[in-house]
Amino acid sequence: MKQGQFEQTYQPLWQLLEQQISLLETAKGPLNSRELNDSELNGSELNGKKLNDRELSCSELNLFPSRYRRLCHLHALAKDRNYSSHLVDKLGDLVVRGHQQLYRRKQPFKAQLINFVVAGFPRLVREQQAYIWWATALLYVPGLLIYLAILWQPDLVYTITSPNQVSNFEQMYDPQNRTLGSARESETNLQMFGFYIRNNISVSFNTFASGILFGVGSIFFLVYNGLLMGAVAGHLTNAEFTQTFFSFVIGHGSFELTAICISGAAGLKLGYALLAPGNLSRAESLKCASLVAIKLVYGVIIMLVIAAFIEAFWSSNNILMPWQKYLVGTVLWALVIAYLVF
């Protein structure tokens, strides 16, 4: 192949790569753009096409390694065929610059974590809002229904929990207790902090991981936890322990209950990927869904750690006035909603 024909055929590829490399060299933030099909790179269709400033999509970033390998192949061909030094040097320069971008040092973990917490996680929640709403409904609707039912018929609480469990809940939220909440299996708040982390993560993990059973497991755990929550709230309302119970849960509930909904949503996403894989095989569909679901779980873990801290050091404190807990709890709910929505 003569040099003129070689350039006419492959110039669109290295011109596109040159633009992408320049963007990567100067980029200081996320790059977003339309997607260009890789099939366009072999003809003259790209002639005259240019990426606008700061335009580079995630899909194009994923295609960058394969395009870079083709560039290396073209550079080797140009050298082997003794094309002009100008062309060989130009391709060689692009190969070096592309190598630097392809293998440059990754963003430090601390910066990645901050970026995920500040923007990545709430953005991901909004992207998966359909699953979030379904999970929220599966948790809260059964809970509200059983709460109202137990207010009307108190004995219905025993269809959800055993008499021993009911007695334990009464002891936990007795206004005479020095500390409220879970029966203090540990003597210090720090030890209870560890207990709450283990317990909360266990509940959320079960809700998420069971979604692989075509979503049935996640649905079960969401409904069960909603029923348990509503049954306890209804019984303690009948027992006139509302002040101690609701002032206890309002503080950490914003993080804990929202985290359970999100973990349930991640499980539902796995289940739906298996039920409706589309043009993919079920294994490939599950793999794609898990990439998103796992990121949701990362955020859930952070929220549960915050919830455990509030539960151990704030919610369980019986010295604070109830109005103080309600005020702080309301602010925390507003912050969580604003964080995920905006």
Side-chain angles (χ1 to χ4, degrees):
M1 181 184 293
K2 294 183 178 180
Q3 179 173 331
Q5 186 180 0
F6 179 85
E7 292 181 356
Q8 184 178 4
T9 303
Y10 297 110
Q11 192 174 38
L13 169 62
W14 67 66
Q15 285 181 340
L16 176 63
L17 275 171
E18 184 175 13
Q19 294 174 45
Q20 293 180 337
I21 291 170
S22 297
L23 284 173
L24 290 171
E25 289 173 338
T26 58
K28 296 181 180 179
L31 302 171
N32 299 296
S33 79
R34 57 182 174 81
E35 178 179 350
L36 294 178
N37 294 326
D38 199 40
S39 59
E40 295 182 295
L41 297 177
N42 287 326
S44 59
E45 293 91 338
L46 283 178
N47 288 337
K49 288 187 178 180
K50 290 184 178 180
L51 292 174
N52 296 326
D53 290 344
R54 298 185 59 75
E55 283 194 352
L56 199 58
S57 67
C58 291
S59 57
E60 287 185 319
L61 287 173
N62 291 334
L63 288 172
F64 185 82
S66 62
R67 292 173 178 172
Y68 174 74
R69 288 193 295 270
R70 293 173 65 185
L71 176 66
C72 294
H73 177 65
L74 295 178
H75 177 239
L77 285 177
K79 289 177 63 177
D80 183 65
R81 295 172 181 175
N82 295 316
Y83 290 154
S84 67
S85 59
H86 173 75
L87 177 61
V88 173
D89 291 344
K90 178 179 179 62
L91 295 178
D93 178 63
L94 286 176
V95 167
V96 172
R97 292 169 60 194
H99 183 275
Q100 292 173 343
Q101 296 306 315
L102 189 61
Y103 297 102
R104 65 181 175 178
R105 182 168 58 89
K106 293 183 178 180
Q107 190 180 28
F109 173 76
K110 182 179 179 181
Q112 293 183 45
L113 178 61
I114 293 175
N115 182 64
F116 176 74
V117 171
V118 172
F121 179 59
R123 186 186 301 121
L124 190 61
V125 168
R126 292 193 295 272
E127 290 174 357
Q128 306 300 319
Q129 60 179 297
Y131 297 103
I132 301 293
W133 284 117
W134 275 108
T136 301
L138 288 168
L139 180 71
Y140 284 101
V141 172
L144 178 60
L145 292 176
I146 195 67
Y147 173 77
L148 295 175
I150 289 175
L151 292 183
W152 170 67
Q153 184 57 258
D155 287 343
L156 285 175
V157 68
Y158 298 109
T159 64
I160 307 298
T161 61
S162 67
N164 286 336
Q165 287 178 309
V166 171
S167 177
N168 288 336
F169 285 125
E170 291 177 352
Q171 293 176 12
M172 290 179 195
Y173 298 101
D174 190 326
Q176 303 302 318
N177 290 344
R178 183 176 62 88
T179 55
L180 301 175
S182 177
R184 303 294 280 191
E185 298 180 9
S186 301
E187 295 182 356
T188 67
N189 289 339
L190 185 61
Q191 290 174 317
M192 286 308 300
F193 174 53
F195 169 80
Y196 288 134
I197 288 179
R198 183 185 64 184
N199 182 70
N200 293 347
I201 290 181
S202 174
V203 171
S204 292
F205 180 78
N206 288 335
T207 306
F208 159 66
S210 59
I212 202 171
L213 301 175
F214 296 92
V216 175
S218 293
I219 293 173
F220 168 78
F221 279 107
L222 285 168
V223 172
Y224 171 75
N225 283 295
L227 290 173
L228 180 61
M229 177 178 63
V232 172
H235 178 74
L236 293 178
T237 299
N238 287 334
E240 299 183 353
F241 289 172
T242 53
Q243 183 168 283
T244 51
F245 174 70
F246 288 109
S247 65
F248 174 82
V249 299
I250 192 174
H252 62 274
S254 55
F255 289 93
E256 182 177 334
L257 297 178
T258 303
I260 292 175
C261 288
I262 296 174
S263 60
L268 292 177
K269 186 172 182 65
L270 296 182
Y272 186 76
L274 291 173
L275 289 172
N279 295 326
L280 301 175
S281 66
R282 281 193 166 82
E284 285 296 322
S285 178
L286 180 62
K287 180 179 179 181
C288 292
S290 65
L291 294 177
V292 177
I294 289 297
K295 290 181 181 178
L296 287 174
V297 173
Y298 291 157
V300 164
I301 293 173
I302 296 173
M303 295 186 72
L304 291 177
V305 171
I306 296 174
F309 180 85
I310 297 172
E311 189 172 3
F313 293 95
W314 172 267
S315 300
S316 60
N317 193 325
N318 206 16
I319 299 176
L320 298 168
M321 299 296 293
W323 69 265
Q324 294 174 313
K325 291 187 176 182
Y326 285 129
L327 177 61
V328 172
T330 302
V331 171
L332 290 176
W333 271 104
L335 286 175
V336 170
I337 294 172
Y339 167 67
L340 296 177
V341 172
F342 302 108

